[in-house]
Every structure is written in structure tokens, then in C-alpha cells.
């Protein structure tokens, strides 16, 4: 089980519904010459402006990388393996009881990273996003008129 700093969640409903989690994640390097895990800054951001997505930012030593993943995949991964292609996530049980961590594999089979974050912290944050934009209501938050106006403006 990883030990990291206390999580920080910021929730906003003005001007739009959003939730951001700032926490730490472990970059697992078990297969790389016995190197220990390294810790990265982890930010998960959810906004009703893009209600199906979770934006992930990983930071270390001033460098960052960003991914955009499905919120539904994260929710499914709390209970079992979820994801497809270059992305997968799953809960990990280190002892008896409920899962302790959530693992996330990012990248293709020949060059991926595996991250591990606190399961309960991510689950609590996801529950906040589900209250902000309940499942099945996501399309109501999409600005279709704005999207179509922007699209038509590029023609």
C-alpha cells in the first residue's frame, strides 16, 4: 500500500460544475532493474463542459503529461478490470477486505506506465463527480448549439 500526502479536492458549481482532485500516485517500476516506486503528483479534473471525460495530469520534477479518459471507465474500475486498448484500470487488494489501491495502465504494450493511487480517495472523488453530473444526464450538459456554431464557423 502506498503512503502519500493528504488528498485535496476542489468542487465548483460556478460558472460550471467541476471537481478537481490533487493527490499523489506511485509509478510502479517493479520490472525495471529492481527500482523502487517513484511518486508523482496526480491531478484528476472533471467538468460538466466535457461530462464524459476525466482529465489526468501527472507531474514530476516540473514536467507533466496529460491524458483524457472516460469517467465511466474509472467508475467501472473501482470494482474490476476496465478499459480497452492503451488504457486499463483495476482495483488491487493488498490485504484482507476492500481494495486498497487503484491501478492505471497508460500506453501501448511495448511502452506503458502503471500508476497506483489510493482506491478510497479516487472513489470519493468520483462520487463527487457523479453527484455533480449524474450518470445518464451527461448529454444535457453539452452545449450543442455552441459546438455546432464553432463547427459551422470553421467551414
Amino acid at each position: 500500500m502506498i503512503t502519500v500526502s493528504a488528498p485535496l479536492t476542489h468542487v465548483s458549481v460556478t460558472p460550471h460544475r467541476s471537481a478537481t482532485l490533487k493527490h499523489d500516485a506511485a509509478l510502479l517500476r517493479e520490472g525495471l532493474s529492481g527500482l523502487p516506486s517513484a511518486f508523482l503528483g496526480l491531478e484528476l479534473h472533471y467538468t460538466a463542459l466535457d461530462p464524459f471525460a476525466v482529465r489526468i495530469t501527472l507531474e514530476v520534477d516540473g514536467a507533466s503529461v496529460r491524458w483524457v479518459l472516460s469517467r465511466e471507465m474509472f467508475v467501472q474500475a473501482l470494482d474490476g478490470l476496465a478499459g480497452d486498448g492503451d488504457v486499463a484500470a483495476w482495483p488491487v487488494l493488498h490485504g484482507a477486505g476492500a481494495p486498497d489501491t487503484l491501478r492505471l495502465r497508460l500506453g501501448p504494450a511495448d511502452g506503458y506506465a502503471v500508476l497506483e493511487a489510493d482506491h478510497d480517495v479516487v472513489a470519493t472523488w468520483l462520487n463527487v463527480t457523479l453527484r455533480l453530473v449524474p450518470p445518464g444526464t451527461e448529454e444535457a450538459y453539452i452545449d450543442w448549439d455552441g459546438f455546432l456554431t464553432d463547427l459551422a464557423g470553421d467551414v
Side-chain angles (χ1 to χ4, degrees):
M1 183 159 163
I2 61 175
T3 304
V4 293
S5 64
L8 174 65
T9 297
H10 174 75
V11 178
S12 174
V13 292
T14 306
H16 56 272
R17 297 166 183 251
S18 66
T20 302
L21 169 68
K22 291 189 181 229
H23 197 35
D24 294 325
L27 173 63
L28 303 181
R29 305 189 296 186
E30 296 147 349
L32 300 174
S33 306
L35 294 173
S37 297
F39 290 95
L40 308 171
L42 170 67
E43 180 177 294
L44 300 178
H45 179 73
Y46 178 80
T47 175
L49 296 175
D50 192 1
F52 293 103
V54 170
R55 285 173 169 63
I56 300 173
T57 303
L58 301 166
E59 297 179 353
V60 64
D61 297 331
S64 65
V65 63
R66 292 177 178 83
W67 286 75
V68 179
L69 303 175
S70 160
R71 177 176 73 160
E72 181 181 6
M73 184 211 62
F74 272 102
V75 171
Q76 291 173 353
L78 294 175
D79 297 319
L81 178 62
D84 203 12
D86 290 349
V87 177
W90 62 96
V92 176
L93 182 67
H94 293 285
D100 302 298
T101 59
L102 184 69
R103 285 196 179 163
L104 178 63
R105 181 187 46 78
L106 299 170
D110 61 346
Y112 62 88
V114 176
L115 307 169
E116 190 169 77
D118 185 291
H119 182 279
D120 291 343
V121 169
V122 175
T124 299
W125 178 80
L126 278 169
N127 283 331
V128 169
T129 75
L130 295 171
R131 286 194 309 272
L132 290 173
V133 178
T137 68
E138 293 94 347
E139 286 191 26
Y141 291 88
I142 297 174
D143 178 11
W144 292 110
D145 291 336
F147 171 75
L148 293 172
T149 299
D150 290 347
L151 187 63
D154 291 340
V155 176

